[in-house]
Amino acid sequence: MMKRFLMLTLALMATGAMAQGGYPNKPITLIVPTAAGGTTDIAARMLAEPLGKALGQTIVVDNRGGANGVIGAVAVKRAEPDGYTLLMQYSGYHVITPNVTRQAPQWKPEDLQAVANVLSAPQLIVVREGLPAKTLGELVTQAKANPGKLSYGSSGIGSLQHVTGAMLEQQAGIEMIHVPYKGTGPTLQDLLGGQLDMSFGTPPPFMPHVQAGKLRALAVTGKSRLPSLPNVPTAAEAGLPKLDATSWFAVFAPAKTPQPIIDRLTTEIAKIMATPAFKQKAAEQGAVAEYMNPQQLNDYAKAELARWGQVVKASKIEAD
């Protein structure tokens, strides 16, 4: 009986190894937990084509926005851990959503397995074309003169944009109206249409409109200016040295995905990100192709979870 059991176990192990060795042998779904048009979506589409070529399979980008990223994350959490369902995760959803959800969240960071960081980008503080403020200082002055009148849009309650807006209010001593959306795309539409006064967000979706003069960038929330927008000062240069908020966009898989599959994915992603073409495309979007391997990404995500948890607690932000 024991001999038969051992033979069956070895056979199953061999079958699993063969399945992993043949990975991938069908299309892969890359879930984006936001609406189309935002940086998370852009990062996914930048990676999908070259990664699909490297793996010899089609990678289908599937937008599942809503609920501060919970819908997309839960879909990946519940998927088979076989490498055929992946998540292009947005840092705000990964390290802020778990900190702001009042009820027990439907997923936890440990439900996802790190694969690779793809893009990192500071946020831009942008205002609509007709707003009088030409600098961050002028914006603060206008907000102080009109408390509770200026509106800013975000990707949802508890999103990184929302928390950044709360940080600005705290540090500048101002009060604004927060308007939550289901992603950067819908926020951008209302900002361009004049229904919103301002927003925060990573550069890619805003860059074309800033360069076309349809939006005005007042500051960058990173430690240095963007090469693509050299005349836009950092928040520190504009008088708010503690307004530091950088987003990152990374690939995750369901927990318990076999290590050989994770290794294959992260190796191919690293190769793609090292190419001049990918780096240039990232730079054109106002982002940086910043690769992190699974262990580096896991450690960084844990540190970010703790850091933003302190910000959320100080801001008293809660979401359903």
Side-chain angles (χ1 to χ4, degrees):
M1 185 73 177
M2 181 59 71
K3 185 177 180 181
R4 289 181 59 192
F5 174 77
L6 289 172
M7 291 178 64
L8 179 60
T9 301
L10 289 172
L12 289 172
M13 290 175 64
T15 300
M18 288 175 62
Q20 293 174 30
Y23 173 85
N25 54 29
K26 62 180 181 180
I28 296 169
T29 298
L30 179 57
I31 291 178
V32 176
T34 68
T39 307
T40 316
D41 181 63
I42 291 171
R45 295 179 191 280
M46 280 178 60
L47 183 65
E49 183 178 357
L51 182 58
K53 288 181 179 178
L55 296 174
Q57 288 291 341
T58 300
I59 295 182
V60 179
V61 176
D62 183 0
N63 293 85
R64 299 194 192 182
N68 284 345
V70 171
I71 293 173
V74 169
V76 176
K77 168 192 171 181
R78 293 176 177 172
E80 288 294 323
D82 54 9
Y84 290 100
T85 303
L86 305 173
L87 177 72
M88 178 59 78
Q89 182 65 305
Y90 161 50
S91 61
Y93 292 159
H94 199 78
V95 301
I96 293 180
T97 296
N99 280 308
V100 302
T101 305
R102 285 182 290 191
Q103 301 174 353
Q106 295 174 288
W107 72 279
K108 304 180 294 298
E110 53 265 37
D111 292 329
L112 303 173
Q113 187 167 348
V115 176
N117 189 65
V118 178
L119 293 181
S120 295
Q123 294 191 79
L124 287 178
I125 301 175
V126 295
V127 299
R128 60 180 172 83
E129 186 179 7
L131 200 72
K134 300 295 192 297
T135 66
L136 184 58
E138 291 180 3
L139 177 72
V140 170
T141 298
Q142 183 179 345
K144 285 183 176 179
N146 302 277
K149 296 292 180 65
L150 287 180
S151 61
Y152 74 94
S154 79
S155 294
I157 296 174
S159 64
L160 185 59
Q161 296 99 321
H162 180 197
V163 178
T164 303
M167 287 174 62
L168 174 59
E169 288 179 301
Q170 289 177 2
Q171 294 178 23
I174 60 177
E175 180 184 351
M176 301 184 292
I177 300 172
H178 171 232
V179 184
Y181 290 82
K182 290 186 178 181
T184 302
T187 307
L188 181 57
Q189 288 179 3
D190 277 4
L191 186 60
L192 290 169
Q195 285 79 37
L196 281 175
D197 292 315
M198 61 180 294
S199 187
F200 307 83
T202 45
F206 295 118
M207 289 287 282
H209 307 289
V210 170
Q211 292 167 341
K214 296 180 180 179
L215 295 176
R216 187 182 308 120
L218 302 185
V220 178
T221 64
K223 292 181 171 57
S224 59
R225 296 190 181 196
L226 293 173
S228 51
L229 293 172
N231 295 324
V232 178
T234 65
E237 291 173 327
L240 292 173
K242 295 183 179 179
L243 192 63
D244 182 5
T246 297
S247 300
W248 42 274
F249 305 85
V251 177
F252 285 81
K256 299 182 180 179
T257 298
Q259 193 59 46
I261 291 177
I262 298 295
D263 291 343
R264 176 80 190 281
L265 288 168
T266 197
T267 297
E268 297 299 343
I269 291 172
K271 291 177 183 177
I272 292 167
M273 292 178 59
T275 63
F278 192 90
K279 290 180 178 181
Q280 179 62 29
K281 196 167 186 178
E284 289 172 354
Q285 300 289 341
V288 177
E290 185 176 13
Y291 173 75
M292 294 183 202
N293 65 35
Q295 187 60 56
Q296 291 169 330
L297 175 56
N298 188 54
D299 292 344
Y300 181 62
K302 285 183 179 179
E304 284 279 275
L305 185 67
R307 181 171 82 93
W308 284 104
Q310 294 176 348
V311 175
V312 167
K313 185 176 180 180
S315 303
K316 298 180 180 179
I317 294 173
E318 292 183 339
D320 293 329

